[in-house]
Amino acid sequence: MRKKQFKNDLKSWLYLLPAMLFLGFFMVYPLIDVFVYSFEEGYHSASQTYQGIGLYNYSYVLHDPYFLQAVKNTFLLVIITVPLSTGLALLISVALSSIKRLQQLFQTIYFLPYVTNTLAVGLVFMILFKKTAYSDGLINLFIHWFGGQSVDFIDGPYIAKMFVLCVYTIWIVMPFKILILTSALASVNQEYYDAAKVDGASKWKTFTKITLPMISPMIFYLVITGFIGAFKAYSDAVALFGTDLNAAGMNTIVGYVYDMLYGNSGGYPSYASAAAIILFAIVLTITTINMLISKKNVHY
Amino acid sequence: MKNNKENKQVRKKVLKGFTYLFLIIWAIIVLFPFYWMILTSLKSYSAYNSEYIPTFFTLTPTLQNYVEAFTAVPLAKYFTNTVIFTFITTTLMMVVIVLAAFAFSRLEFKGKQVLFLFFLSLMMIPTELVIITNFVTISHWNLRNTFLGLILPSVTSVFYIYLLKENFEQIPDSLYYAAKVDGTSDLKYLLKVMLPISKPTLITITILKIIECWNSYVWPRLITDDANYYLVSNGIQAIRENGFGRENIPAMMAAVVVISVPLIVLFLIFRKKVMAGVSRGGTKG
């Protein structure tokens, strides 16, 4: 009996072996290693040697102007895009749920950005916003119509660049939020609405007193995933401003990590590790704060 | 009294009108970049560059840019690379996760609960943390600029194991015991009974993985610097930075269209499955 049990166990582990090997090599080991790297001072890639153990890498990263710029960019991006995209998605989802005709068509259209290649479609945004010697670009044409001055959104002032990055980020994240919120709205029990109608509650009151509380867990879920996602922004910035984000002044924290690792300024896995760990300390803190706030405001 | 009722009716109609207007505006914002990339890809090089003020349509569409996209830059190569990468990664991952999900859902062994909890906790690890060591590992194994190097780190997904395990668990136990009585082996039971029953979930996971592979950018960028191994994302970035000469935007847009079409077609075919899958566990943004 015992032998049979052992044989059974062995067989089960065999089924799990591929998954465990891959996870071990490419998730568990790297996770430990990244902390090790971050404390190894003066690490040399080619010889794999280091000089000492300490906090120098963290201190270097925290004093690097490129990192500080990346932190500023990332925070701005988060603070602007998360509330705007969540709010807009809520408006669109409410509108979408209130109609019957064409609902599916709209839903399908709204989902399209999710299945596009961020790098490829980013190029389209770049062209729409870019001002060149040959043309001011389409967005500038609109600005002219309203009597404004041309702005170079891709190589111009910081605010303009930040604006495009936010616009593109919002465009990209909307499908997911609309999808989640429309299904949340659809799952609110119809009986509550019927009861509100009997009581003669106004539409606005029904929305704030019934709909919002009922879907608040989902809104909260979107805010959290939105924060996490926006903190990890990178490829949208590359799509708009090219791979040399430091030169464009538009790098993000994740971009900084990769630049430290590889490319013209690369070869420093220790700095990259320290920066990555700082990023996740930030994300973890903010997620915790979000959780605490939500505990007070979300109705489950 | 009657007037009041009519008023209400009118107000309702106006509100409906505004709702549709709002929805149409957002639809235009979503669709416009797609329209613009197709439009630009159909304009000839000289026509595009002579437009100081961009025009919203073209009367002389040309396919020249598509020819250009496939001849002047190795777009076909990037495309084939991505197809190969996507196909192998997705296939391997399906094998790995099906086996793991089967063990977790159907087999009994010591330490199962603990191991599963451990797997779940791995879901919280962000890629950005582990990518640094993976990059170093793959470099040391001399796997840079190889398909193996591109593929290896992404053939397991804890989340999909979890999703599939939940699905497998809904298959009634009685089927399993009946098969056991008939002397069916576990593996045969998995292949002949469980997989066919779980087909919808398997298709959903496959499509989500294909989308992920097709759009992957960061890892391929780190691991390849030889254009022979570029995937479409890196390819388009290379095209942008030194492809047709910076200014041939119509040809660039033709390349963008070629890259975007496969996923959009896939999405339109499997619309319901994709949306259901994403709402269960997609994360982008």
Side-chain angles (χ1 to χ4, degrees), chain A residues 67-272:
Chain A
F67 183 74
L68 299 177
Q69 180 68 45
V71 170
K72 180 185 163 197
N73 293 339
T74 310
F75 267 91
L76 270 178
L77 188 70
V78 169
I79 291 164
I80 296 168
T81 62
V82 174
L84 272 182
S85 60
T86 314
L88 192 59
L90 186 59
L91 269 180
I92 291 172
S93 310
V94 169
L96 203 55
S97 320
S98 74
I99 62 163
K100 285 211 176 67
R101 251 196 294 174
L102 299 180
Q103 196 190 35
Q104 287 230 327
L105 177 70
F106 280 121
Q107 259 175 338
T108 309
I109 293 174
Y110 293 168
F111 197 73
L112 280 177
Y114 191 92
V115 288
T116 54
N117 186 303
T118 315
L119 271 299
V121 178
L123 272 189
V124 185
F125 273 77
M126 181 195 82
I127 283 154
L128 287 171
F129 281 91
K130 195 171 170 64
K131 184 181 166 186
T132 63
Y134 315 104
S135 167
D136 280 4
L138 189 74
I139 301 299
N140 275 317
L141 180 67
F142 293 152
I143 295 177
H144 283 292
W145 285 354
F146 291 100
Q149 288 281 317
S150 298
V151 185
D152 188 343
F153 285 96
I154 304 298
D155 293 315
Y158 179 71
I159 298 181
K161 289 195 269 193
M162 203 65 211
F163 176 76
V164 192
L165 184 58
C166 290
V167 169
Y168 186 43
T169 306
I170 292 176
W171 190 84
I172 287 279
V173 299
M174 286 300 278
F176 181 63
K177 300 190 186 211
I178 295 175
L179 179 69
I180 297 290
L181 288 178
T182 28
S183 42
L185 285 169
S187 66
V188 176
N189 196 333
Q190 189 60 38
E191 281 170 23
Y192 292 112
Y193 291 130
D194 294 340
K197 224 174 206 170
V198 171
D199 289 348
S202 70
K203 269 201 162 160
W204 176 247
K205 206 161 187 186
T206 314
F207 179 71
T208 51
K209 297 286 172 193
I210 296 174
T211 315
L212 266 190
M214 291 300 283
I215 64 169
S216 61
M218 275 310 166
I219 296 178
F220 165 64
Y221 168 69
L222 284 183
V223 170
I224 287 203
T225 52
F227 266 106
I228 296 174
F231 267 112
K232 295 202 228 163
Y234 173 58
S235 37
D236 1 25
V238 173
L240 292 169
F241 307 107
T243 37
D244 196 352
L245 287 172
N246 277 338
M250 292 308 291
N251 213 349
T252 61
I253 304 181
V254 169
Y256 179 88
V257 172
Y258 296 144
D259 285 347
M260 272 298 165
L261 196 58
Y262 172 73
N264 295 331
S265 54
Y268 302 101
S270 304
Y271 295 152

Side-chain angles (χ1 to χ4, degrees), chain A residues 11 22 48 110 134 234 239, chain B residues 23 52 140 156 186 221 240:
Chain A
K11 199 174 72 188
F22 281 114
Q48 290 195 62
Y110 293 168
Y134 315 104
Y234 173 58
Chain B
L23 290 172
Y52 186 76
H140 276 292
T156 330
D186 278 343
R221 188 198 154 201
R240 176 216 177 132

Side-chain angles (χ1 to χ4, degrees), chain A residues 120 123-138 154, chain B residues 36-49 51 54 65-66 68-69 236 239-240 243-257:
Chain A
L123 272 189
V124 185
F125 273 77
M126 181 195 82
I127 283 154
L128 287 171
F129 281 91
K130 195 171 170 64
K131 184 181 166 186
T132 63
Y134 315 104
S135 167
D136 280 4
L138 189 74
I154 304 298
Chain B
W36 200 252
M37 80 189 178
I38 295 170
L39 173 73
T40 312
S41 76
L42 295 174
K43 287 177 178 173
S44 75
Y45 179 71
S46 55
Y48 180 82
N49 281 320
E51 288 173 3
N65 298 310
Y66 288 88
E68 188 93 342
I236 198 73
I239 289 174
R240 176 216 177 132
F244 305 105
R246 267 172 184 265
E247 311 302 340
N248 195 348
I249 286 170
M252 220 186 263
M253 286 300 107
V256 170
V257 172

